[in-house]
Amino acid sequence: MKLSADLKALEARLGHKFSRPDLLVRAVTHSSMSSPTREDNQRLEFLGDRVLGLVMSEALLEHDKSAAEGTLAPRFNALVRKEACADVAREIDLGAALKLGRSEMMSGGRRKEALLGDAMEAVLAAVYRDAGFDVAKALILRLWGNRVKTVEADARDPKTSLQEWAQARKLPPPKYELVKRSGPDHAPVFTIAAKLENGASAEATDNSKRKAEQVAAKALLDQLSKK
């Protein structure tokens, strides 16, 4: 099988030449583009999640040999969650090589965080299937770069941290309200406010509701820590 120009370019950005090009084709094929003769990337995504998890677990243990499980777990979650995978996907411009159906193309699928994160995991699995664990591990460590060393000691989801802050002070859980939605339907932008019953609040804007909520929660935590 010969790869298209966009997939050859992706190979170059990955730094891995596939001996089985069909694996890369499958890894970038979204379910909206699948057919009886064209398999999508969902099974590879399942495998890639596990390969990434093992590599990050080993890397964290090696980086901090004295850290307890309770400290390692949130760091691990921060490194393997969909947002982290999507960030890496953007760095290698994975979106440009995705094979999408018309509906996903029209709705801005190449920029969607969940779709990019899933495809990144599928690509990792494709490398693993193509060349084995050691090659996949080296690729993951190169692509994730300094993230293992710089991940915050307390890398819990800011929404979880904000809820724990409120509970510790006997306040109801924080609320997240949509302040504004702007932009076209295929690329919406959301402004979310994180609010506590004591009147404290903070806003954040992102093209993902979930990300906007997390950033708003982080901003509110930062605001509260200065009081």
Side-chain angles (χ1 to χ4, degrees), residues 121-140:
E121 290 173 342
V123 167
L124 299 181
V127 173
Y128 168 73
R129 293 289 299 274
D130 187 66
F133 180 73
D134 288 342
V135 172
K137 177 179 177 179
L139 175 75
I140 291 168

Side-chain angles (χ1 to χ4, degrees), residues 107-161:
S107 64
R110 296 188 190 280
R111 297 184 299 276
K112 290 181 180 178
E113 191 155 270
L115 193 152
L116 286 171
D118 290 346
M120 189 69 244
E121 290 173 342
V123 167
L124 299 181
V127 173
Y128 168 73
R129 293 289 299 274
D130 187 66
F133 180 73
D134 288 342
V135 172
K137 177 179 177 179
L139 175 75
I140 291 168
L141 292 176
R142 175 166 52 80
L143 292 180
W144 261 247
N146 286 328
R147 286 176 173 86
V148 174
K149 297 178 181 177
T150 59
V151 66
E152 296 179 13
D154 180 7
R156 289 173 299 175
D157 184 328
K159 291 177 66 176
T160 300
S161 297

Side-chain angles (χ1 to χ4, degrees), residues 24-194:
L24 181 58
V25 173
R26 193 187 316 164
V28 299
T29 301
H30 185 256
S31 58
S32 63
M33 193 64 175
S34 65
S35 70
T37 58
R38 184 168 191 159
E39 191 175 351
D40 64 37
N41 62 10
Q42 291 180 333
R43 286 170 60 85
L44 284 176
E45 173 205 338
F46 171 82
L47 177 60
D49 178 60
R50 275 71 186 170
V51 175
L52 175 61
L54 179 55
V55 172
M56 287 296 107
S57 297
E58 286 189 340
L60 285 168
L61 289 173
E62 184 63 27
H63 175 63
D64 190 343
K65 293 181 170 61
S66 62
E69 188 276 340
T71 299
L72 292 170
R75 296 179 186 177
F76 172 83
N77 291 335
L79 290 167
V80 303
R81 61 191 175 202
K82 223 50 117 183
E83 291 88 348
C85 293
D87 283 343
V88 175
R90 292 187 191 97
E91 290 175 3
I92 61 170
D93 196 15
L94 178 54
L98 294 179
K99 306 303 179 186
L100 306 173
R102 190 172 187 277
S103 61
E104 279 295 344
M105 287 278 288
M106 296 296 290
S107 64
R110 296 188 190 280
R111 297 184 299 276
K112 290 181 180 178
E113 191 155 270
L115 193 152
L116 286 171
D118 290 346
M120 189 69 244
E121 290 173 342
V123 167
L124 299 181
V127 173
Y128 168 73
R129 293 289 299 274
D130 187 66
F133 180 73
D134 288 342
V135 172
K137 177 179 177 179
L139 175 75
I140 291 168
L141 292 176
R142 175 166 52 80
L143 292 180
W144 261 247
N146 286 328
R147 286 176 173 86
V148 174
K149 297 178 181 177
T150 59
V151 66
E152 296 179 13
D154 180 7
R156 289 173 299 175
D157 184 328
K159 291 177 66 176
T160 300
S161 297
L162 182 60
Q163 182 164 329
E164 290 175 353
W165 187 96
Q167 288 175 340
R169 290 154 182 80
K170 302 190 184 307
L171 292 172
K175 294 182 179 180
Y176 297 90
E177 297 179 2
L178 177 63
V179 176
K180 182 175 67 173
R181 172 178 170 149
S182 58
D185 288 340
H186 70 273
V189 176
F190 304 96
T191 298
I192 301 289

